[in-house]
Amino acid sequence: MTYLSFFKAECLTLFRSKQRVVNALLFFVLVVVLFPLGIDPSADFLAPAAGGIIWCAAALSVVVSIESLYKESYADGTLTQLVVSGLSLPWLILIKVGVYWLAMMLPLLLLTPVFAQMLFLPSDSLLVLLATLLIGTPGLFLIGSIGAALTVSLKQGAMLMVLLILPFYFPIIIFSTAAIKAIQFGLPYGGLLALLAAISLLALVVAPVMTSLCIKASVR
Amino acid sequence: MHSVAILTISDLWVERGESDLLNGLSFSARSGDVVHITGANGAGKSTFFKALLGLLPILSGSMTFNGDSLTQQRQNFLNNTLYIGHSAGLNGALTVMENIRWYLPKCSEKIVEQALSELSLGAFAETQLHALSAGQVRRVALVRLWLSEQQIWLLDEPFTALDQGLISMLEAKMAAHVASGGIVILASHLPLAHLSYLQVEL
Ligand SMILES: Nc1ncnc2c1ncn2[C@@H]1O[C@H](COP(=O)(O)OP(=O)(O)OP(=O)(O)O)[C@@H](O)[C@H]1O
Ligand SMILES: [Mg+2]
């Protein structure tokens, strides 16, 4: 096994089981569409709320779908094979999470302008929204990966995992939506984006190592 | 040819749940050795493999690889080892060929196809793993075993789900592997018919 062959296998696996990604995206679409229907479809209400709605929908669809990130490989023994492959487990995890991030975020980023239009989000705010999604969501996936690894050996770990990782999502959601509000009020938002980037970078360093510790503890 | 021991296990104990297992297991393996680990269900055969691979901490005793402590040589040891456990370790969403490609990206197409047809998997190269029978999945794991270049084979119940013809074939492959300087450590409830081996009872 090499890093490259693992990357290819991951892409293929995800492509074969695209239902998982499609379901997560469908969930995202549903939340965004149902929100205005349920509360208030007027532009006055939606324009300031749009960023928050899209961010909450994105975070929710990540949290419900990433729970099963390691389930299959745990069940079929390939997770053990990764641990004993002699390759560095944190790097393999980073590849796995990276592939998943790409598969889910590319379509989501493409869908976002459409929904921003639907929710009356002004176009300068749309750019900031896209920037926060691009910078902030790696953090969501990386933190989610720790939770998924922590609960991989549990039969009904989904709820536990959501409760475990959701608090770590708060700062990401707060800073992202604050950046979108800032531009709507004409305030500087660069610092907020920098904070988001800092969180994602921290997660990039810490999460693969933490995830690999959790995986090593569960494949025994 | 009597070379030095590559792998030495002495007085090994591993804690698993409430009980201490392995009872001070000791043996050493030189290149060319087949070590056959036997024992009742739950005796600790799989536990031993996991301790060897570093998946479980050991309670006491020592393991050495090429003369150095195995814990320090872990990376080196893993690079020279191929482990096939109770589950075949193959990805159900990928086809037979893609699974082999994943584990052995450098292996030439021709050699892979030859090994597949040797194991009557020729027609299934493009079939997804979860559409194969249990025995066929084990066969795919064997293809991987045969084409790999690792010196040490760790096989936990390798005969599970194999038909009689394949059991003899696997034994022959193990014989060829050790004849070329490899080491095979296997746990099984079946006696080996065509091989001379060192038996270790747990
Ligand atoms: N995940 C686990 N957690 C706690 N205890 C375990 C676990 N797996 C196995 N054990 C215990 O460790 C003991 C040894 O198990 P092990 O799997 O090593 O047996 P084995 O010799 O491989 O048996 P078999 O022939 O059935 O494969 C058993 O008594 C079992 O109860
Ligand atoms: Mg066993």
Side-chain angles (χ1 to χ4, degrees), chain A residues 220, chain B residues 16-17 19 21 39-48 86 156-157 189:
Chain A
R220 46 179 60 177
Chain B
R16 195 99 216 240
S19 46
L21 295 170
N41 291 132
K45 301 180 295 298
S46 304
T47 300
F48 167 65
H86 283 289
D156 197 353
E157 316 258 6
H189 299 291

Coordinates of all heavy atoms in Angstrom, one line a residue, chain A residues 220, chain B residues 16-17 19 21 39-48 86 156-157 189, ligand 1:
Chain A
R220 N -8.3 -2.9 18.5 CA -7.6 -4.0 19.2 C -8.4 -5.2 19.4 O -9.6 -5.2 19.3 CB -7.1 -3.5 20.5 CG -8.1 -2.7 21.3 CD -7.6 -2.3 22.7 NE -6.4 -1.5 22.6 CZ -5.8 -1.0 23.7 NH1 -6.3 -1.2 24.9 NH2 -4.7 -0.2 23.6
Chain B
R16 N -6.2 -9.2 28.8 CA -7.3 -9.0 27.9 C -8.6 -9.0 28.8 O -8.9 -10.1 29.3 CB -7.4 -10.1 26.9 CG -8.3 -9.8 25.7 CD -7.5 -9.3 24.6 NE -8.2 -8.2 23.9 CZ -8.5 -8.3 22.6 NH1 -8.2 -9.4 21.9 NH2 -9.1 -7.3 22.0
G17 N -9.2 -7.9 29.0 CA -10.4 -7.9 29.9 C -10.0 -8.3 31.3 O -9.1 -7.7 31.9
S19 N -8.8 -11.4 32.2 CA -7.9 -12.4 32.4 C -6.5 -12.1 31.7 O -6.4 -11.3 30.8 CB -8.4 -13.7 31.7 OG -9.0 -13.4 30.5
L21 N -3.6 -13.5 29.5 CA -3.5 -14.6 28.4 C -2.0 -14.8 28.0 O -1.1 -14.1 28.4 CB -4.3 -14.1 27.2 CG -5.8 -14.0 27.4 CD1 -6.4 -13.3 26.1 CD2 -6.4 -15.3 27.6
G39 N -4.5 -23.9 19.9 CA -5.2 -23.6 21.2 C -6.7 -23.5 21.0 O -7.1 -23.3 19.9
A40 N -7.4 -23.8 22.1 CA -8.8 -23.8 22.0 C -9.4 -22.4 21.7 O -8.6 -21.4 21.7 CB -9.4 -24.2 23.4
N41 N -10.6 -22.3 21.3 CA -11.3 -21.0 21.1 C -11.1 -20.2 22.3 O -11.4 -20.6 23.5 CB -12.8 -21.2 20.8 CG -13.0 -21.8 19.5 OD1 -13.8 -22.7 19.4 ND2 -12.3 -21.4 18.4
G42 N -10.7 -19.0 22.2 CA -10.5 -18.1 23.3 C -9.2 -18.2 24.1 O -9.0 -17.6 25.1
A43 N -8.3 -19.1 23.5 CA -7.0 -19.3 24.2 C -6.1 -18.1 24.1 O -5.2 -17.9 24.9 CB -6.3 -20.5 23.7
G44 N -6.3 -17.3 23.0 CA -5.5 -16.1 22.9 C -4.7 -16.0 21.6 O -3.7 -15.2 21.5
K45 N -5.0 -16.8 20.6 CA -4.3 -16.8 19.4 C -4.3 -15.5 18.7 O -3.3 -14.9 18.3 CB -4.8 -17.9 18.5 CG -4.7 -19.3 19.1 CD -5.2 -20.4 18.2 CE -6.7 -20.3 17.8 NZ -7.6 -20.4 19.0
S46 N -5.5 -15.0 18.5 CA -5.7 -13.7 17.9 C -5.1 -12.6 18.7 O -4.5 -11.6 18.2 CB -7.1 -13.4 17.6 OG -7.8 -14.4 16.9
T47 N -5.2 -12.7 20.0 CA -4.6 -11.8 20.9 C -3.1 -11.7 20.7 O -2.5 -10.6 20.7 CB -4.9 -12.2 22.4 OG1 -6.3 -12.2 22.6 CG2 -4.3 -11.2 23.4
F48 N -2.5 -12.8 20.5 CA -1.0 -12.9 20.3 C -0.6 -12.0 19.1 O 0.3 -11.2 19.1 CB -0.5 -14.3 20.2 CG 0.9 -14.4 19.6 CD1 1.9 -13.9 20.4 CD2 1.1 -14.9 18.4 CE1 3.2 -13.9 19.9 CE2 2.4 -14.9 17.9 CZ 3.5 -14.4 18.6
H86 N -9.0 -12.5 11.1 CA -10.2 -13.1 10.9 C -11.0 -12.5 9.8 O -11.7 -13.2 9.0 CB -11.1 -13.1 12.2 CG -10.6 -14.0 13.3 ND1 -10.8 -15.4 13.2 CD2 -10.0 -13.9 14.4 CE1 -10.3 -16.0 14.2 NE2 -9.8 -15.1 15.0
D156 N -4.0 -15.5 10.7 CA -4.9 -15.9 11.8 C -6.1 -16.7 11.1 O -6.9 -16.1 10.4 CB -5.5 -14.6 12.5 CG -6.1 -15.0 13.9 OD1 -6.2 -16.2 14.1 OD2 -6.4 -14.1 14.6
E157 N -6.1 -18.0 11.4 CA -7.0 -18.9 10.8 C -7.2 -18.7 9.3 O -8.2 -18.4 8.8 CB -8.4 -18.7 11.4 CG -8.4 -18.5 12.9 CD -8.9 -19.7 13.7 OE1 -9.1 -20.8 13.0 OE2 -9.0 -19.6 14.9
H189 N -6.8 -24.4 13.6 CA -7.2 -25.6 14.3 C -6.9 -26.8 13.5 O -7.0 -27.9 14.0 CB -8.7 -25.5 14.6 CG -9.1 -24.3 15.5 ND1 -8.7 -24.3 16.8 CD2 -9.7 -23.2 15.2 CE1 -9.1 -23.1 17.3 NE2 -9.8 -22.4 16.4
Ligands
LIG1 N1 -12.2 -7.1 22.2 C1 -12.1 -7.8 23.3 N2 -12.2 -7.2 24.5 C2 -12.1 -7.9 25.6 N3 -11.8 -9.2 25.7 C3 -11.6 -9.9 24.5 C4 -11.8 -9.2 23.2 N4 -11.5 -10.1 22.3 C5 -11.3 -11.2 22.8 N5 -11.3 -11.1 24.2 C6 -11.1 -12.2 25.2 O1 -9.7 -12.6 25.0 C7 -9.7 -14.0 25.0 C8 -8.8 -14.5 23.8 O2 -9.4 -14.1 22.6 P1 -8.8 -14.4 21.2 O3 -9.6 -13.8 20.2 O4 -7.3 -14.1 21.3 O5 -8.9 -16.0 21.1 P2 -8.5 -17.0 20.0 O6 -7.5 -18.0 20.5 O7 -8.1 -16.3 18.8 O8 -9.9 -17.8 19.7 P3 -10.5 -18.3 18.3 O9 -10.0 -19.7 18.1 O10 -12.0 -18.3 18.6 O11 -10.2 -17.3 17.2 C9 -11.1 -14.6 25.0 O12 -11.3 -15.2 26.2 C10 -12.0 -13.4 24.9 O13 -13.0 -13.5 25.8

